[in-house]
Amino acid sequence: MLEHGGRLRRAAQRYGIPLDDWLDLSTGINPHAYPAPAIPASAWHRLPEEDDGLETAAAAYYGSTALLPVAGSQPAIQCLPSVLPGARVSLLAPSYAEHAHAWRERQPRFFTAHIDAAEAAVDHSDIVVLVQPNNPTGAHFERARLLDWHARLAARGGWLVVDEAFIDDTPAASLVPLAGADGLVVLRSLGKFFGLAGARVGFVFGPEAVRTRLEERLGPWTIGGPARHVARVALNDTVWQAAMREQLASEGERLMQVLSAVGLGAATGPSLFKWVQRADAAQLHDALARRGLLVRLFEQPASLRFGLPAGEAGWARLEQALAECLGTPRDTGGQGVRHPPPTTEMDSTQ
């Protein structure tokens, strides 16, 4: 099993700090989760049914009917190598490690987000797998460039696989509206933006043949009735979605400012998380953990990923812990640091 964020119980045991005393910023999951509605008794007592409105709500939200509901992105990630042909596989790195793990038997090659490296990977691959925006680095490619890559791969029978787990705050950048075209598979999930990771609800968008083969391997009832009910309501709630995008944009900028103010440099990443490279990442991770603050540590390259605090107490605690660990003064105004945000824009070359 690969390492993931959110291992809070293990951290509590290791550092001897009670579970309730931690501030967990390790996952990149929206701390303002969608308020799950009451679940009708029938959702518990009956087998899940496909005509309950979930697929219709998902098609409207994502912009395509070429979808297959799955229990989060993970089952699809694991099964895609069994349904997509192609010997030469290239993956963006560093990135979400489950993709590389799933394709390991084909001995994949890895490419960086530098545009020349990515272009070369497209030219010499049958399958290209990337996360957009990337996790953990936040690197992203322009939509027009992705469309070009898809066209070039599809022309020779190849595939572009795009994991859009963190794209909900910028929906216009999504490739889902093209779903159904040969050579393109897109993965989406309710875990991050909606904060419903525990519901295990996701969707695969792609050609009918791919979805059929995946469905045969995954079997029936991949998503339970209660999760289907909650997901349907969340996907239909356009008012909540619009308000949350605004809130996350503001909080993502605030997190960028907090990290910059304590000397961590220009962080990158979407609204839900920020990523910083540091040679002493492991030491800083440990120092924060000793203060009951959990962030995500990466060894290659040495770096840390910070999620969003859930409220003002969390923001204050983050600022104080960083100030103590890095020896920088703390803004005590109660609304976070107010320094100008970094001006460097993240692009596909980072």
Side-chain angles (χ1 to χ4, degrees):
M1 296 291 288
L2 298 180
E3 202 60 30
H4 293 276
R7 296 291 185 92
L8 187 59
R9 294 184 183 277
R10 188 170 67 180
Q13 183 177 16
R14 175 182 177 182
Y15 288 94
I17 300 174
L19 199 63
D20 291 341
D21 292 343
W22 284 83
L23 175 61
D24 184 6
L25 306 182
S26 70
T27 67
I29 295 171
N30 186 354
H32 317 293
Y34 184 79
I39 298 173
S42 60
W44 296 103
H45 298 316
R46 297 176 59 84
L47 287 173
E49 297 178 309
E50 295 181 358
D51 59 354
D52 61 358
L54 174 61
E55 284 81 356
T56 300
Y61 175 80
Y62 293 110
S64 173
T65 60
L67 60 85
L68 174 68
V70 291
S73 299
Q74 187 59 35
I77 291 172
Q78 293 179 208
C79 287
L80 277 176
S82 69
V83 303
L84 294 185
R88 302 174 301 170
V89 179
S90 295
L91 295 95
L92 178 63
S95 191
Y96 183 53
E98 289 290 349
H99 288 288
H101 186 68
W103 292 96
R104 65 191 182 281
E105 293 185 0
R106 294 195 207 178
Q107 299 180 327
R109 295 177 179 269
F110 298 92
F111 64 95
T112 68
H114 190 282
I115 195 61
D116 292 339
E119 288 282 350
V122 172
D123 287 336
H124 298 94
S125 303
D126 302 310
I127 300 172
V128 173
V129 182
L130 54 88
V131 180
Q132 170 85 351
N134 191 35
N135 174 25
T137 68
H140 66 277
F141 301 98
E142 292 183 359
R143 190 173 188 272
R145 191 176 296 278
L146 292 177
L147 296 179
D148 175 65
W149 292 349
H150 164 238
R152 286 154 57 185
L153 287 162
R156 59 177 187 268
W159 294 88
L160 177 64
V161 178
V162 185
D163 183 344
E164 296 184 342
F166 287 97
I167 210 168
D168 291 73
D169 58 344
T170 55
S174 174
L175 295 189
V176 167
L178 300 176
D182 289 339
L184 177 65
V185 175
V186 183
L187 308 179
R188 297 294 293 266
S189 169
L190 270 70
K192 304 302 189 297
F193 174 73
F194 288 94
L196 297 174
R200 308 310 305 142
V201 177
F203 299 91
V204 179
F205 293 86
E208 184 177 4
V210 171
R211 289 181 281 123
T212 298
R213 290 196 291 270
L214 281 173
E215 189 172 22
E216 290 173 349
R217 283 161 175 76
L218 296 173
W221 311 306
T222 56
I223 304 176
R228 289 181 66 96
H229 176 77
V230 172
R232 175 180 57 78
V233 175
L235 290 169
N236 279 326
D237 194 340
T238 57
V239 174
W240 183 91
Q241 295 157 17
M244 185 51 60
R245 287 192 181 98
E246 290 187 7
Q247 180 175 348
L248 292 179
S250 174
E251 293 186 0
E253 181 178 343
R254 180 178 180 180
L255 180 58
M256 183 91 77
Q257 294 177 28
V258 167
L259 298 178
S260 176
V262 296
L264 288 179
T268 57
S271 298
L272 284 169
F273 69 79
K274 301 300 174 186
W275 180 75
V276 294
Q277 287 187 259
R278 283 184 68 92
D280 64 345
Q283 291 85 349
L284 181 54
H285 176 270
D286 180 73
L288 291 170
R290 293 181 184 281
R291 292 164 171 79
L293 199 155
L294 186 63
V295 298
R296 183 75 162 89
L297 172 67
F298 298 90
E299 295 182 356
Q300 295 294 332
S303 53
L304 297 172
R305 187 186 67 195
F306 294 78
L308 297 174
E312 289 304 324
W315 284 102
R317 185 172 174 183
L318 172 62
E319 290 182 43
Q320 179 176 346
L322 288 171
E324 291 175 355
C325 294
L326 297 170
T328 55
R330 174 174 173 250
D331 185 326
T332 58
Q335 294 298 318
V337 294
R338 296 179 178 82
H339 304 274
T343 57
T344 302
E345 290 187 6
M346 176 178 58
D347 58 27
S348 59
T349 64
Q350 292 186 304

